[in-house]
Amino acid sequence: GAVVSQHPSRVICKSGTSVKIECRSLDFQATTMFWYRQFPKKSLMLMATSNEGSKATYEQGVEKDKFLINHASLTLSTLTVTSAHPEDSSFYICSARGEGANNEQYFGPGTRLTVT
Amino acid sequence: GQNIDQPTEMTATEGAIVQINCTYQTSGFNGLFWYQQHAGEAPTFLSYNVLDGLEEKGRFSSFLSRSKGYSYLLLKELQMKDSASYLCAVNTGGFKTIFGAGTRLFVKA
């Protein structure tokens, strides 16, 4: 099946710094990738839809200047959390839309961000 | 608005059958997914329904009724490793998928 990787899997950073998370589709091309965040025991909350070669589409309430998304190629999307604060600590998961007709999404393993 | 409801928690016994229900009210519908998620890990795909009826895949089956906005995931011959959260998700059109809060299933011996 399709494989999506994320890097890093865990990161701890200090308040005020920026963190970049990479999402890669390893064996297929993904024109569309999605970024979610998930709080403990809560469901996935869609943050933005990342489209290759164009600007990301952000969900209501998500600050695009704080969560910078770049989808530079058909296999790579990055999420940069700028000027991170403790409340940004969360589990960030990316997914890529598959090439099949059922619109299945393949999820990366997630990145645990802790801001101290 | 968009709304997906599923029970918060369920407990079942090893070897038994459990049914996890999901109801949805969304602005659009282009298919319903069930995902399994173990703690600290990403979701993994279980099933996809776009037409009414039952889809069976090994120990797991998923049912959809579009007119009722209802789906269920049926797990047979429960194993301890099935203890996880089960997420109901609806593709509302285009590429957008909305997730329910998930049902935490505890399988006991």
Side-chain angles (χ1 to χ4, degrees):
Chain A
V3 178
V4 175
S5 70
Q6 259 182 264
H7 178 79
S9 57
R10 294 178 185 274
V11 57
I12 301 173
C13 70
K14 292 187 176 181
S15 210
T17 60
S18 295
V19 174
K20 180 185 283 187
I21 302 170
E22 293 186 348
C23 177
R24 293 181 186 273
S25 57
L26 298 184
D27 52 0
F28 67 103
Q29 294 183 330
T31 55
T32 305
M33 291 184 173
F34 305 90
W35 287 96
Y36 297 85
R37 67 185 297 183
Q38 186 176 34
F39 293 103
K41 298 184 179 180
K42 300 291 184 182
S43 189
L44 286 77
M45 184 192 78
L46 180 65
M47 299 175 65
T49 302
S50 171
N51 302 294
E52 188 269 336
S54 64
K55 292 184 178 180
T57 303
Y58 289 82
E59 294 300 300
Q60 191 172 8
V62 178
E63 299 176 59
K64 61 181 181 181
D65 294 331
K66 180 168 183 61
F67 299 99
L68 301 179
I69 291 172
N70 183 24
H71 194 154
S73 76
L74 287 171
T75 59
L76 173 64
S77 176
T78 61
L79 168 68
T80 301
V81 183
T82 62
S83 187
H85 289 95
E87 56 264 31
D88 297 325
S89 298
S90 189
F91 192 47
Y92 292 87
I93 306 175
C94 75
S95 72
R97 178 175 174 265
E99 297 172 314
N102 66 5
N103 295 313
E104 179 181 344
Q105 292 183 38
Y106 299 98
F107 287 88
T111 297
R112 174 75 60 193
L113 170 64
T114 304
V115 184
T116 60
Chain B
Q2 318 277 37
N3 200 41
I4 298 178
D5 289 318
Q6 48 183 135
T8 306
E9 289 184 0
M10 298 183 72
T11 301
T13 305
E14 193 176 17
I17 299 173
V18 71
Q19 177 174 312
I20 303 175
N21 295 323
C22 170
T23 57
Y24 63 90
Q25 292 176 309
T26 57
S27 57
F29 182 84
N30 194 31
L32 185 144
F33 298 89
W34 284 95
Y35 287 89
Q36 180 191 62
Q37 185 178 26
H38 286 96
E41 299 180 8
T44 55
F45 171 80
L46 289 178
S47 68
Y48 171 73
N49 294 68
V50 67
L51 299 176
D52 290 353
L54 186 69
E55 294 281 343
E56 297 187 77
K57 188 185 293 185
R59 295 191 297 117
F60 292 36
S61 303
S62 57
F63 171 83
L64 174 67
S65 169
R66 289 172 296 170
S67 61
K68 296 181 179 178
Y70 168 70
S71 173
Y72 68 72
L73 178 70
L74 193 71
L75 293 78
K76 303 176 185 176
E77 301 170 14
L78 278 175
Q79 302 174 11
M80 299 299 287
K81 67 178 182 179
D82 296 330
S83 294
S85 285
Y86 291 86
L87 308 178
C88 175
V90 173
N91 184 301
T92 58
F95 303 143
K96 192 167 180 177
T97 300
I98 296 174
F99 286 80
T103 298
R104 288 194 302 280
L105 175 65
F106 300 95
V107 180
K108 58 182 183 179

mmCIF file of all heavy atoms in Angstrom, chain A residues 32 34 36 38 41-44 46 59 91 93 97 102-105 107-110 112, chain B residues 30 33 35 37 40-45 48 87 91 94-97 99-102 104:
data_model
loop_
_atom_site.group_PDB
_atom_site.id
_atom_site.type_symbol
_atom_site.label_atom_id
_atom_site.label_comp_id
_atom_site.label_asym_id
_atom_site.label_seq_id
_atom_site.Cartn_x
_atom_site.Cartn_y
_atom_site.Cartn_z
ATOM 1 N N THR A 32 -2.330 16.421 -3.504
ATOM 2 C CA THR A 32 -3.001 17.010 -2.358
ATOM 3 C C THR A 32 -2.578 16.306 -1.074
ATOM 4 O O THR A 32 -2.618 15.078 -1.000
ATOM 5 C CB THR A 32 -4.533 16.908 -2.493
ATOM 6 O OG1 THR A 32 -4.931 17.500 -3.724
ATOM 7 C CG2 THR A 32 -5.221 17.630 -1.342
ATOM 8 N N PHE A 34 -2.827 16.762 3.386
ATOM 9 C CA PHE A 34 -3.622 17.383 4.440
ATOM 10 C C PHE A 34 -2.808 17.414 5.726
ATOM 11 O O PHE A 34 -2.050 16.501 6.019
ATOM 12 C CB PHE A 34 -4.908 16.588 4.688
ATOM 13 C CG PHE A 34 -5.747 16.376 3.460
ATOM 14 C CD1 PHE A 34 -5.542 15.268 2.662
ATOM 15 C CD2 PHE A 34 -6.722 17.291 3.100
ATOM 16 C CE1 PHE A 34 -6.302 15.063 1.523
ATOM 17 C CE2 PHE A 34 -7.489 17.093 1.957
ATOM 18 C CZ PHE A 34 -7.274 15.987 1.174
ATOM 19 N N TYR A 36 -3.275 17.754 9.865
ATOM 20 C CA TYR A 36 -4.196 17.672 10.988
ATOM 21 C C TYR A 36 -3.417 17.882 12.284
ATOM 22 O O TYR A 36 -2.229 17.617 12.364
ATOM 23 C CB TYR A 36 -4.851 16.293 11.062
ATOM 24 C CG TYR A 36 -5.720 15.904 9.891
ATOM 25 C CD1 TYR A 36 -5.173 15.326 8.744
ATOM 26 C CD2 TYR A 36 -7.107 16.078 9.948
ATOM 27 C CE1 TYR A 36 -5.978 14.945 7.678
ATOM 28 C CE2 TYR A 36 -7.923 15.703 8.892
ATOM 29 C CZ TYR A 36 -7.353 15.141 7.766
ATOM 30 O OH TYR A 36 -8.155 14.761 6.712
ATOM 31 N N GLN A 38 -4.026 16.840 16.506
ATOM 32 C CA GLN A 38 -4.862 16.013 17.365
ATOM 33 C C GLN A 38 -4.436 16.201 18.807
ATOM 34 O O GLN A 38 -3.269 15.980 19.159
ATOM 35 C CB GLN A 38 -4.749 14.546 16.969
ATOM 36 C CG GLN A 38 -5.705 13.629 17.714
ATOM 37 C CD GLN A 38 -5.619 12.187 17.222
ATOM 38 O OE1 GLN A 38 -4.558 11.720 16.839
ATOM 39 N NE2 GLN A 38 -6.753 11.491 17.232
ATOM 40 N N LYS A 41 -6.879 12.256 23.233
ATOM 41 C CA LYS A 41 -8.228 11.687 23.317
ATOM 42 C C LYS A 41 -9.249 12.481 22.513
ATOM 43 O O LYS A 41 -10.445 12.382 22.755
ATOM 44 C CB LYS A 41 -8.672 11.561 24.780
ATOM 45 C CG LYS A 41 -7.790 10.634 25.599
ATOM 46 C CD LYS A 41 -8.298 10.454 27.004
ATOM 47 C CE LYS A 41 -7.387 9.505 27.784
ATOM 48 N NZ LYS A 41 -7.861 9.309 29.174
ATOM 49 N N LYS A 42 -8.770 13.227 21.563
ATOM 50 C CA LYS A 42 -9.657 13.977 20.682
ATOM 51 C C LYS A 42 -9.452 13.502 19.242
ATOM 52 O O LYS A 42 -8.489 12.812 18.938
ATOM 53 C CB LYS A 42 -9.381 15.486 20.771
ATOM 54 C CG LYS A 42 -9.562 16.061 22.158
ATOM 55 C CD LYS A 42 -11.012 16.051 22.577
ATOM 56 C CE LYS A 42 -11.181 16.720 23.931
ATOM 57 N NZ LYS A 42 -12.594 16.673 24.397
ATOM 58 N N SER A 43 -10.365 13.909 18.378
ATOM 59 C CA SER A 43 -10.224 13.472 16.997
ATOM 60 C C SER A 43 -9.296 14.393 16.220
ATOM 61 O O SER A 43 -8.797 15.386 16.741
ATOM 62 C CB SER A 43 -11.589 13.430 16.315
ATOM 63 O OG SER A 43 -11.467 12.814 15.054
ATOM 64 N N LEU A 44 -9.084 14.021 14.985
ATOM 65 C CA LEU A 44 -8.221 14.827 14.128
ATOM 66 C C LEU A 44 -8.956 16.100 13.700
ATOM 67 O O LEU A 44 -10.106 16.051 13.286
ATOM 68 C CB LEU A 44 -7.843 14.044 12.876
ATOM 69 C CG LEU A 44 -6.819 12.930 13.032
ATOM 70 C CD1 LEU A 44 -7.448 11.710 13.644
ATOM 71 C CD2 LEU A 44 -6.213 12.591 11.680
ATOM 72 N N LEU A 46 -8.766 19.034 11.005
ATOM 73 C CA LEU A 46 -8.112 19.455 9.776
ATOM 74 C C LEU A 46 -7.645 20.897 9.910
ATOM 75 O O LEU A 46 -8.431 21.784 10.254
ATOM 76 C CB LEU A 46 -9.072 19.319 8.592
ATOM 77 C CG LEU A 46 -8.528 19.729 7.232
ATOM 78 C CD1 LEU A 46 -7.380 18.812 6.803
ATOM 79 C CD2 LEU A 46 -9.639 19.708 6.188
ATOM 80 N N GLU A 59 -8.265 25.995 7.142
ATOM 81 C CA GLU A 59 -9.584 25.913 7.765
ATOM 82 C C GLU A 59 -9.809 27.145 8.634
ATOM 83 O O GLU A 59 -8.868 27.821 9.072
ATOM 84 C CB GLU A 59 -9.699 24.644 8.611
ATOM 85 C CG GLU A 59 -9.640 23.370 7.777
ATOM 86 C CD GLU A 59 -10.747 23.299 6.749
ATOM 87 O OE1 GLU A 59 -11.934 23.321 7.140
ATOM 88 O OE2 GLU A 59 -10.423 23.217 5.547
ATOM 89 N N PHE A 91 -0.101 16.693 18.621
ATOM 90 C CA PHE A 91 0.286 15.640 17.692
ATOM 91 C C PHE A 91 -0.144 16.114 16.307
ATOM 92 O O PHE A 91 -1.320 16.373 16.075
ATOM 93 C CB PHE A 91 -0.439 14.345 18.092
ATOM 94 C CG PHE A 91 0.048 13.101 17.414
ATOM 95 C CD1 PHE A 91 1.401 12.818 17.332
ATOM 96 C CD2 PHE A 91 -0.834 12.174 16.890
ATOM 97 C CE1 PHE A 91 1.863 11.656 16.737
ATOM 98 C CE2 PHE A 91 -0.393 11.004 16.286
ATOM 99 C CZ PHE A 91 0.957 10.735 16.207
ATOM 100 N N ILE A 93 -0.390 15.401 12.319
ATOM 101 C CA ILE A 93 -0.428 14.279 11.391
ATOM 102 C C ILE A 93 -0.692 14.799 9.985
ATOM 103 O O ILE A 93 -1.583 15.624 9.786
ATOM 104 C CB ILE A 93 -1.531 13.268 11.750
ATOM 105 C CG1 ILE A 93 -1.396 12.811 13.203
ATOM 106 C CG2 ILE A 93 -1.502 12.062 10.825
ATOM 107 C CD1 ILE A 93 -2.530 11.908 13.647
ATOM 108 N N ARG A 97 -3.610 12.224 -0.256
ATOM 109 C CA ARG A 97 -4.728 11.620 -0.973
ATOM 110 C C ARG A 97 -4.193 10.586 -1.942
ATOM 111 O O ARG A 97 -3.262 10.863 -2.693
ATOM 112 C CB ARG A 97 -5.509 12.680 -1.725
ATOM 113 C CG ARG A 97 -6.666 12.149 -2.549
ATOM 114 C CD ARG A 97 -7.467 13.267 -3.171
ATOM 115 N NE ARG A 97 -8.487 12.745 -4.071
ATOM 116 C CZ ARG A 97 -8.319 12.618 -5.375
ATOM 117 N NH1 ARG A 97 -7.185 12.983 -5.919
ATOM 118 N NH2 ARG A 97 -9.279 12.131 -6.131
ATOM 119 N N ASN A 102 -11.470 6.035 -4.511
ATOM 120 C CA ASN A 102 -12.251 6.150 -3.286
ATOM 121 C C ASN A 102 -11.803 7.280 -2.387
ATOM 122 O O ASN A 102 -12.266 7.391 -1.268
ATOM 123 C CB ASN A 102 -12.232 4.833 -2.518
ATOM 124 C CG ASN A 102 -10.850 4.488 -2.004
ATOM 125 O OD1 ASN A 102 -9.924 5.266 -2.127
ATOM 126 N ND2 ASN A 102 -10.704 3.315 -1.425
ATOM 127 N N ASN A 103 -10.926 8.140 -2.873
ATOM 128 C CA ASN A 103 -10.473 9.286 -2.084
ATOM 129 C C ASN A 103 -9.853 8.904 -0.746
ATOM 130 O O ASN A 103 -9.878 9.681 0.193
ATOM 131 C CB ASN A 103 -11.646 10.259 -1.830
ATOM 132 C CG ASN A 103 -12.149 10.868 -3.116
ATOM 133 O OD1 ASN A 103 -11.374 11.329 -3.927
ATOM 134 N ND2 ASN A 103 -13.451 10.858 -3.298
ATOM 135 N N GLU A 104 -9.339 7.708 -0.650
ATOM 136 C CA GLU A 104 -8.705 7.275 0.591
ATOM 137 C C GLU A 104 -7.503 8.149 0.890
ATOM 138 O O GLU A 104 -6.799 8.595 -0.007
ATOM 139 C CB GLU A 104 -8.256 5.829 0.463
ATOM 140 C CG GLU A 104 -7.563 5.284 1.704
ATOM 141 C CD GLU A 104 -7.103 3.852 1.512
ATOM 142 O OE1 GLU A 104 -7.578 3.202 0.557
ATOM 143 O OE2 GLU A 104 -6.280 3.398 2.305
ATOM 144 N N GLN A 105 -7.314 8.397 2.179
ATOM 145 C CA GLN A 105 -6.145 9.148 2.613
ATOM 146 C C GLN A 105 -5.184 8.200 3.310
ATOM 147 O O GLN A 105 -5.591 7.347 4.091
ATOM 148 C CB GLN A 105 -6.557 10.256 3.588
ATOM 149 C CG GLN A 105 -7.375 11.358 2.953
ATOM 150 C CD GLN A 105 -7.690 12.454 3.942
ATOM 151 O OE1 GLN A 105 -6.866 12.811 4.782
ATOM 152 N NE2 GLN A 105 -8.887 12.988 3.847
ATOM 153 N N PHE A 107 -2.114 8.098 5.919
ATOM 154 C CA PHE A 107 -1.599 8.956 6.978
ATOM 155 C C PHE A 107 -0.128 8.697 7.258
ATOM 156 O O PHE A 107 0.355 7.560 7.214
ATOM 157 C CB PHE A 107 -2.405 8.732 8.264
ATOM 158 C CG PHE A 107 -3.778 9.324 8.214
ATOM 159 C CD1 PHE A 107 -4.836 8.589 7.707
ATOM 160 C CD2 PHE A 107 -4.012 10.616 8.655
ATOM 161 C CE1 PHE A 107 -6.102 9.133 7.635
ATOM 162 C CE2 PHE A 107 -5.284 11.166 8.593
ATOM 163 C CZ PHE A 107 -6.327 10.424 8.088
ATOM 164 N N GLY A 108 0.561 9.773 7.576
ATOM 165 C CA GLY A 108 1.908 9.651 8.089
ATOM 166 C C GLY A 108 1.858 9.199 9.541
ATOM 167 O O GLY A 108 0.784 9.181 10.152
ATOM 168 N N PRO A 109 3.000 8.866 10.118
ATOM 169 C CA PRO A 109 3.045 8.354 11.487
ATOM 170 C C PRO A 109 2.860 9.437 12.548
ATOM 171 O O PRO A 109 2.725 9.109 13.729
ATOM 172 C CB PRO A 109 4.431 7.727 11.584
ATOM 173 C CG PRO A 109 5.241 8.457 10.573
ATOM 174 C CD PRO A 109 4.306 8.800 9.461
ATOM 175 N N GLY A 110 2.837 10.675 12.146
ATOM 176 C CA GLY A 110 2.610 11.750 13.105
ATOM 177 C C GLY A 110 3.887 12.323 13.697
ATOM 178 O O GLY A 110 4.931 11.664 13.723
ATOM 179 N N ARG A 112 5.054 14.384 17.225
ATOM 180 C CA ARG A 112 4.689 14.884 18.555
ATOM 181 C C ARG A 112 5.523 16.124 18.838
ATOM 182 O O ARG A 112 6.739 16.033 18.967
ATOM 183 C CB ARG A 112 4.963 13.804 19.602
ATOM 184 C CG ARG A 112 4.772 14.250 21.038
ATOM 185 C CD ARG A 112 3.315 14.352 21.386
ATOM 186 N NE ARG A 112 2.621 13.075 21.230
ATOM 187 C CZ ARG A 112 1.303 12.958 21.241
ATOM 188 N NH1 ARG A 112 0.544 14.025 21.397
ATOM 189 N NH2 ARG A 112 0.752 11.780 21.101
ATOM 190 N N ASN B 30 -19.504 12.086 0.069
ATOM 191 C CA ASN B 30 -18.821 11.408 -1.031
ATOM 192 C C ASN B 30 -18.121 10.158 -0.520
ATOM 193 O O ASN B 30 -17.066 9.790 -1.013
ATOM 194 C CB ASN B 30 -17.818 12.371 -1.685
ATOM 195 C CG ASN B 30 -17.327 11.856 -3.019
ATOM 196 O OD1 ASN B 30 -18.048 11.161 -3.733
ATOM 197 N ND2 ASN B 30 -16.092 12.179 -3.359
ATOM 198 N N PHE B 33 -15.578 6.612 5.737
ATOM 199 C CA PHE B 33 -14.414 5.787 6.067
ATOM 200 C C PHE B 33 -14.456 5.376 7.533
ATOM 201 O O PHE B 33 -14.982 6.100 8.380
ATOM 202 C CB PHE B 33 -13.115 6.584 5.864
ATOM 203 C CG PHE B 33 -12.881 7.030 4.452
ATOM 204 C CD1 PHE B 33 -13.373 8.247 4.018
ATOM 205 C CD2 PHE B 33 -12.142 6.257 3.575
ATOM 206 C CE1 PHE B 33 -13.144 8.677 2.721
ATOM 207 C CE2 PHE B 33 -11.901 6.690 2.278
ATOM 208 C CZ PHE B 33 -12.409 7.904 1.858
ATOM 209 N N TYR B 35 -11.449 4.266 10.319
ATOM 210 C CA TYR B 35 -10.024 4.141 10.565
ATOM 211 C C TYR B 35 -9.820 3.593 11.974
ATOM 212 O O TYR B 35 -10.615 3.841 12.884
ATOM 213 C CB TYR B 35 -9.324 5.507 10.482
ATOM 214 C CG TYR B 35 -9.186 6.061 9.080
ATOM 215 C CD1 TYR B 35 -10.183 6.850 8.522
ATOM 216 C CD2 TYR B 35 -8.045 5.804 8.330
ATOM 217 C CE1 TYR B 35 -10.056 7.361 7.239
ATOM 218 C CE2 TYR B 35 -7.910 6.327 7.043
ATOM 219 C CZ TYR B 35 -8.921 7.100 6.510
ATOM 220 O OH TYR B 35 -8.789 7.612 5.240
ATOM 221 N N GLN B 37 -7.082 3.641 15.140
ATOM 222 C CA GLN B 37 -5.932 4.407 15.624
ATOM 223 C C GLN B 37 -5.519 3.905 16.997
ATOM 224 O O GLN B 37 -6.293 3.984 17.959
ATOM 225 C CB GLN B 37 -6.250 5.900 15.686
ATOM 226 C CG GLN B 37 -5.041 6.751 16.066
ATOM 227 C CD GLN B 37 -5.332 8.240 16.095
ATOM 228 O OE1 GLN B 37 -6.478 8.646 16.307
ATOM 229 N NE2 GLN B 37 -4.321 9.061 15.868
ATOM 230 N N GLY B 40 -1.047 7.177 20.242
ATOM 231 C CA GLY B 40 0.239 7.707 19.819
ATOM 232 C C GLY B 40 0.628 7.379 18.400
ATOM 233 O O GLY B 40 1.757 7.693 17.980
ATOM 234 N N GLU B 41 -0.278 6.761 17.671
ATOM 235 C CA GLU B 41 0.034 6.401 16.287
ATOM 236 C C GLU B 41 -0.954 7.067 15.333
ATOM 237 O O GLU B 41 -1.982 7.580 15.735
ATOM 238 C CB GLU B 41 -0.011 4.877 16.109
ATOM 239 C CG GLU B 41 1.001 4.133 16.967
ATOM 240 C CD GLU B 41 0.922 2.634 16.765
ATOM 241 O OE1 GLU B 41 0.202 2.191 15.852
ATOM 242 O OE2 GLU B 41 1.569 1.912 17.541
ATOM 243 N N ALA B 42 -0.623 7.029 14.052
ATOM 244 C CA ALA B 42 -1.520 7.599 13.057
ATOM 245 C C ALA B 42 -2.647 6.622 12.738
ATOM 246 O O ALA B 42 -2.526 5.422 12.967
ATOM 247 C CB ALA B 42 -0.741 7.929 11.786
ATOM 248 N N PRO B 43 -3.742 7.118 12.230
ATOM 249 C CA PRO B 43 -4.855 6.236 11.839
ATOM 250 C C PRO B 43 -4.479 5.323 10.690
ATOM 251 O O PRO B 43 -3.696 5.702 9.813
ATOM 252 C CB PRO B 43 -5.948 7.211 11.407
ATOM 253 C CG PRO B 43 -5.578 8.518 11.989
ATOM 254 C CD PRO B 43 -4.083 8.532 12.046
ATOM 255 N N THR B 44 -5.059 4.138 10.677
ATOM 256 C CA THR B 44 -4.892 3.226 9.552
ATOM 257 C C THR B 44 -6.263 2.905 8.966
ATOM 258 O O THR B 44 -7.235 2.748 9.700
ATOM 259 C CB THR B 44 -4.182 1.926 9.964
ATOM 260 O OG1 THR B 44 -4.896 1.338 11.048
ATOM 261 C CG2 THR B 44 -2.764 2.194 10.401
ATOM 262 N N PHE B 45 -6.313 2.806 7.670
ATOM 263 C CA PHE B 45 -7.553 2.604 6.940
ATOM 264 C C PHE B 45 -8.147 1.235 7.213
ATOM 265 O O PHE B 45 -7.433 0.229 7.198
ATOM 266 C CB PHE B 45 -7.271 2.775 5.453
ATOM 267 C CG PHE B 45 -8.398 2.396 4.547
ATOM 268 C CD1 PHE B 45 -9.452 3.268 4.347
ATOM 269 C CD2 PHE B 45 -8.402 1.176 3.890
ATOM 270 C CE1 PHE B 45 -10.499 2.931 3.500
ATOM 271 C CE2 PHE B 45 -9.444 0.820 3.046
ATOM 272 C CZ PHE B 45 -10.488 1.705 2.851
ATOM 273 N N TYR B 48 -14.227 1.517 3.508
ATOM 274 C CA TYR B 48 -14.798 2.647 2.783
ATOM 275 C C TYR B 48 -16.147 2.232 2.230
ATOM 276 O O TYR B 48 -16.272 1.179 1.603
ATOM 277 C CB TYR B 48 -13.864 3.041 1.638
ATOM 278 C CG TYR B 48 -14.415 4.064 0.675
ATOM 279 C CD1 TYR B 48 -14.540 5.401 1.067
ATOM 280 C CD2 TYR B 48 -14.789 3.714 -0.620
ATOM 281 C CE1 TYR B 48 -15.026 6.348 0.171
ATOM 282 C CE2 TYR B 48 -15.275 4.663 -1.506
ATOM 283 C CZ TYR B 48 -15.387 5.967 -1.104
ATOM 284 O OH TYR B 48 -15.855 6.918 -1.980
ATOM 285 N N LEU B 87 -12.247 5.583 14.290
ATOM 286 C CA LEU B 87 -12.683 6.881 13.806
ATOM 287 C C LEU B 87 -13.597 6.729 12.602
ATOM 288 O O LEU B 87 -13.254 6.048 11.638
ATOM 289 C CB LEU B 87 -11.482 7.735 13.399
ATOM 290 C CG LEU B 87 -10.357 7.889 14.415
ATOM 291 C CD1 LEU B 87 -9.228 8.723 13.831
ATOM 292 C CD2 LEU B 87 -10.865 8.533 15.688
ATOM 293 N N ASN B 91 -16.161 11.899 3.805
ATOM 294 C CA ASN B 91 -15.663 12.770 2.737
ATOM 295 C C ASN B 91 -16.832 13.622 2.285
ATOM 296 O O ASN B 91 -17.832 13.109 1.778
ATOM 297 C CB ASN B 91 -15.111 11.931 1.595
ATOM 298 C CG ASN B 91 -14.501 12.794 0.507
ATOM 299 O OD1 ASN B 91 -15.189 13.637 -0.076
ATOM 300 N ND2 ASN B 91 -13.239 12.597 0.242
ATOM 301 N N GLY B 94 -15.084 17.074 -2.840
ATOM 302 C CA GLY B 94 -13.745 17.560 -3.130
ATOM 303 C C GLY B 94 -12.771 16.624 -2.453
ATOM 304 O O GLY B 94 -12.902 15.410 -2.537
ATOM 305 N N PHE B 95 -11.821 17.155 -1.738
ATOM 306 C CA PHE B 95 -10.848 16.298 -1.069
ATOM 307 C C PHE B 95 -10.968 16.391 0.450
ATOM 308 O O PHE B 95 -10.096 15.943 1.167
ATOM 309 C CB PHE B 95 -9.433 16.702 -1.480
ATOM 310 C CG PHE B 95 -9.217 16.645 -2.973
ATOM 311 C CD1 PHE B 95 -8.425 17.590 -3.607
ATOM 312 C CD2 PHE B 95 -9.807 15.674 -3.735
ATOM 313 C CE1 PHE B 95 -8.222 17.545 -4.972
ATOM 314 C CE2 PHE B 95 -9.612 15.613 -5.109
ATOM 315 C CZ PHE B 95 -8.814 16.551 -5.725
ATOM 316 N N LYS B 96 -12.058 16.951 0.916
ATOM 317 C CA LYS B 96 -12.146 17.231 2.339
ATOM 318 C C LYS B 96 -12.814 16.094 3.100
ATOM 319 O O LYS B 96 -13.882 15.614 2.730
ATOM 320 C CB LYS B 96 -12.939 18.520 2.545
ATOM 321 C CG LYS B 96 -12.865 19.082 3.936
ATOM 322 C CD LYS B 96 -13.421 20.507 3.951
ATOM 323 C CE LYS B 96 -13.363 21.101 5.332
ATOM 324 N NZ LYS B 96 -13.834 22.493 5.345
ATOM 325 N N THR B 97 -12.175 15.663 4.163
ATOM 326 C CA THR B 97 -12.714 14.601 5.015
ATOM 327 C C THR B 97 -12.823 15.106 6.439
ATOM 328 O O THR B 97 -11.887 15.703 6.970
ATOM 329 C CB THR B 97 -11.812 13.361 4.975
ATOM 330 O OG1 THR B 97 -11.738 12.882 3.630
ATOM 331 C CG2 THR B 97 -12.351 12.252 5.857
ATOM 332 N N PHE B 99 -13.607 14.130 10.455
ATOM 333 C CA PHE B 99 -13.517 12.997 11.356
ATOM 334 C C PHE B 99 -14.430 13.168 12.560
ATOM 335 O O PHE B 99 -14.575 14.270 13.099
ATOM 336 C CB PHE B 99 -12.079 12.823 11.845
ATOM 337 C CG PHE B 99 -11.163 12.254 10.807
ATOM 338 C CD1 PHE B 99 -10.635 13.063 9.808
ATOM 339 C CD2 PHE B 99 -10.832 10.914 10.814
ATOM 340 C CE1 PHE B 99 -9.797 12.537 8.836
ATOM 341 C CE2 PHE B 99 -9.991 10.383 9.851
ATOM 342 C CZ PHE B 99 -9.483 11.195 8.862
ATOM 343 N N GLY B 100 -15.002 12.057 13.011
ATOM 344 C CA GLY B 100 -15.667 12.037 14.298
ATOM 345 C C GLY B 100 -14.631 12.004 15.409
ATOM 346 O O GLY B 100 -13.431 11.863 15.153
ATOM 347 N N ALA B 101 -15.104 12.123 16.636
ATOM 348 C CA ALA B 101 -14.191 12.171 17.777
ATOM 349 C C ALA B 101 -13.578 10.818 18.100
ATOM 350 O O ALA B 101 -12.646 10.729 18.891
ATOM 351 C CB ALA B 101 -14.909 12.719 18.997
ATOM 352 N N GLY B 102 -14.127 9.757 17.523
ATOM 353 C CA GLY B 102 -13.559 8.433 17.746
ATOM 354 C C GLY B 102 -14.235 7.692 18.885
ATOM 355 O O GLY B 102 -14.756 8.305 19.827
ATOM 356 N N ARG B 104 -13.316 4.814 21.664
ATOM 357 C CA ARG B 104 -12.248 4.013 22.274
ATOM 358 C C ARG B 104 -12.819 2.659 22.664
ATOM 359 O O ARG B 104 -13.731 2.578 23.479
ATOM 360 C CB ARG B 104 -11.652 4.722 23.476
ATOM 361 C CG ARG B 104 -10.798 5.920 23.093
ATOM 362 C CD ARG B 104 -9.936 6.395 24.259
ATOM 363 N NE ARG B 104 -10.711 6.764 25.431
ATOM 364 C CZ ARG B 104 -11.345 7.918 25.582
ATOM 365 N NH1 ARG B 104 -11.308 8.813 24.620
ATOM 366 N NH2 ARG B 104 -12.012 8.174 26.673
#
